[in-house]
Amino acid sequence: MKIDGQAWRTIWLEEGGRSVGVIDQTLLPHRFTTRSLSSCDEAAEAIRTMVVRGAPLIGVTGAYGLMLALQVDPSDAALAAAFEQLNATRPTAVNLRWALERVRDRVAPLAPEQRAEAAQSEAAAIADEDVAMCEAIGDHGLAIFQELAAARPGQTFNVLTHCNAGWLATVDWGTALAPIYKAHRAGLDIHVWVDETRPRNQGASLTAYELGREGVPHTVIVDNAGGHLMQHGQVDAVIVGTDRTTRRGDVCNKIGTYLKALAARDNNVPFYVALPASTIDWQIDDGVAEIPIEARSPEEVTHIQGRSPDGQITSVQLSPDGSPGFNPAFDVTPARLVTALITERGVVAASAEGLQELYADV
Ligand code: MRU
């Protein structure tokens, strides 16, 4: 995607692979800054502090983190330690474990001196595949949007999304936003309701930023407005991403997604989840019982970050001194509330049978 006419990916190699460049997402939308990650520690810290975030991008950053670790020490012990360090940074998005396992399994059989280079090529392949998968999700989602919009000729097609599942959350294109970009480029009259997505406001900060840069009409709303808009016929479809999808199609996404799915069901609004295969956890069925939900700092609830009138990025306290906060970062939407899964291989029912149909070879 482009920023001010220049094409960007969210992650790239620098100095022939001695460091990795990323966009610092903690400062968006107010400041566009890039950072260089030169060690496994720095990669782990960038994931933990959400300099990089979004399930697919966390996975790619983890993969490059292993490469950086192996450049310093390619031993079995160092590989295992770096794997554990990176995997512990964020527990919910399964892409991280998936990408780390993929790099580890590629390099482990090799002689130590070959490992860093092999890790680099595997991480780069994961990144390139992510771009291709997200673009394919965009094409499959576009077909759905075109069909839904055709049923309401002459009217703006209104889509609601939660959190940021755009190109900033992936390497390029995004998951839930890819069909939106495709639709906008195809000339569909599309408008996006952007949930602000408390507590970290990935919607207000990142999705709105992305859509604005691409010229996609959008409006930021508070998280609690979606149900009201659906009751009044102002939402034609909901589309979100997922950090972990179970074998039977339960989806775990940013906190608040479940409430949107409930409201969508009550109002007959289709609820789509866009995902690449790297987000499917084939080891579990019951998302509510089995997916570890990250609990982040209560300070993200009791405080809020923004730009002050003098241009400083600053944090202010919302709640009284001493009031505790609780901050579960994700929730699970059961498969029964999902209209369909939009994957890189096509669109299927959120069910074990649906996923098997597409991924029998996995
Ligand atoms: O906590 P974050 O910002 O990493 O959460 C991101 C999301 O919840 C996205 O919707 C998810 O990663 C899927 S999209 C690419």
Side-chain angles (χ1 to χ4, degrees):
M1 293 288 140
K2 288 190 175 157
I3 300 176
D4 299 334
Q6 188 187 335
W8 286 86
R9 280 186 173 190
T10 52
I11 190 162
W12 57 91
L13 286 173
E14 297 173 336
E15 303 176 273
R18 303 305 297 180
S19 63
V20 177
V22 295
I23 298 165
D24 185 347
Q25 300 194 22
T26 64
L27 300 177
L28 289 173
H30 305 300
R31 206 169 294 156
F32 182 88
T33 319
T34 62
R35 295 255 295 254
S36 287
L37 313 176
S38 317
S39 66
C40 179
D41 284 351
E42 288 182 10
E45 190 62 4
I47 298 171
R48 199 185 60 73
T49 58
M50 295 176 67
V51 166
V52 289
R53 30 67 53 202
L57 180 56
I58 293 171
V60 176
T61 309
Y64 279 125
L66 274 190
M67 171 198 79
L68 293 168
L70 292 168
Q71 288 171 356
V72 178
D73 180 352
S75 67
D76 284 355
L79 175 60
F83 182 103
E84 290 311 323
Q85 179 189 9
L86 291 159
N87 197 33
T89 50
R90 296 200 68 192
T92 300
V94 78
N95 306 58
L96 179 57
R97 186 187 78 203
W98 171 84
L100 292 172
E101 284 176 350
R102 201 168 135 174
V103 174
R104 183 191 62 192
D105 294 350
R106 164 90 186 270
V107 305
L110 302 176
E113 62 276 12
Q114 298 173 330
R115 286 178 173 173
E117 203 180 313
Q120 179 172 326
S121 96
E122 194 65 24
I126 292 171
D128 288 344
E129 286 168 25
D130 186 66
V131 178
M133 288 195 288
C134 287
E135 180 159 16
I137 288 168
D139 290 329
H140 295 303
L142 168 64
I144 294 177
F145 285 1
Q146 284 173 325
E147 200 181 319
L148 290 172
R152 311 178 71 237
Q155 295 182 51
T156 299
F157 183 65
N158 285 299
V159 179
L160 183 144
T161 192
H162 192 70
C163 195
N164 172 260
W167 71 274
L168 289 167
T170 63
V171 178
D172 204 354
W173 282 104
T175 55
L177 294 197
I180 290 170
Y181 290 132
K182 290 271 180 178
H184 179 66
R185 289 183 185 186
L188 198 78
D189 176 13
I190 191 166
H191 166 263
V192 185
W193 296 112
V194 178
D195 281 355
E196 61 175 344
T197 319
R198 277 285 285 151
R200 288 186 67 102
N201 296 305
Q202 289 95 328
S205 302
L206 304 176
T207 299
Y209 175 80
E210 283 193 25
L211 294 174
R213 296 290 153 153
E214 272 287 307
V216 180
H218 64 280
T219 308
V220 179
I221 52 174
V222 295
D223 290 327
N224 297 327
H228 166 76
L229 293 175
M230 291 182 212
Q231 285 176 324
H232 290 271
Q234 293 181 76
V235 181
D236 298 306
V238 178
I239 187 164
V240 296
T242 162
D243 288 79
R244 196 184 293 227
T245 308
T246 71
R247 203 163 38 195
R248 72 180 189 196
D250 292 348
V251 292
C252 183
N253 191 50
K254 182 54 55 191
I255 194 78
T257 301
Y258 170 51
L259 290 177
K260 291 294 135 55
L262 286 173
R265 173 56 55 95
D266 196 44
N267 291 281
N268 293 318
V269 172
F271 183 93
Y272 296 102
V273 180
L275 63 134
S278 51
T279 303
I280 305 169
D281 186 343
W282 296 104
Q283 297 171 14
I284 59 174
D285 280 311
D286 182 341
V288 174
E290 297 179 87
I291 297 177
I293 301 295
E294 175 180 9
R296 295 189 60 83
S297 165
E299 207 177 304
E300 293 180 351
V301 179
T302 58
H303 292 64
I304 198 162
Q305 177 178 291
R307 185 177 62 194
S308 64
D310 65 358
Q312 299 299 312
I313 296 175
T314 188
S315 170
V316 295
Q317 183 175 329
L318 296 170
S319 48
D321 289 341
S323 286
F326 178 51
N327 188 12
F330 298 93
D331 62 24
V332 172
T333 299
R336 65 187 157 76
L337 297 176
V338 177
T339 305
L341 301 173
I342 305 173
T343 79
E344 78 283 1
R345 292 192 181 184
V347 179
V348 280
S351 65
E353 300 71 31
L355 284 170
Q356 261 311 303
E357 203 180 294
L358 287 185
Y359 296 103
D361 57 319
V362 177

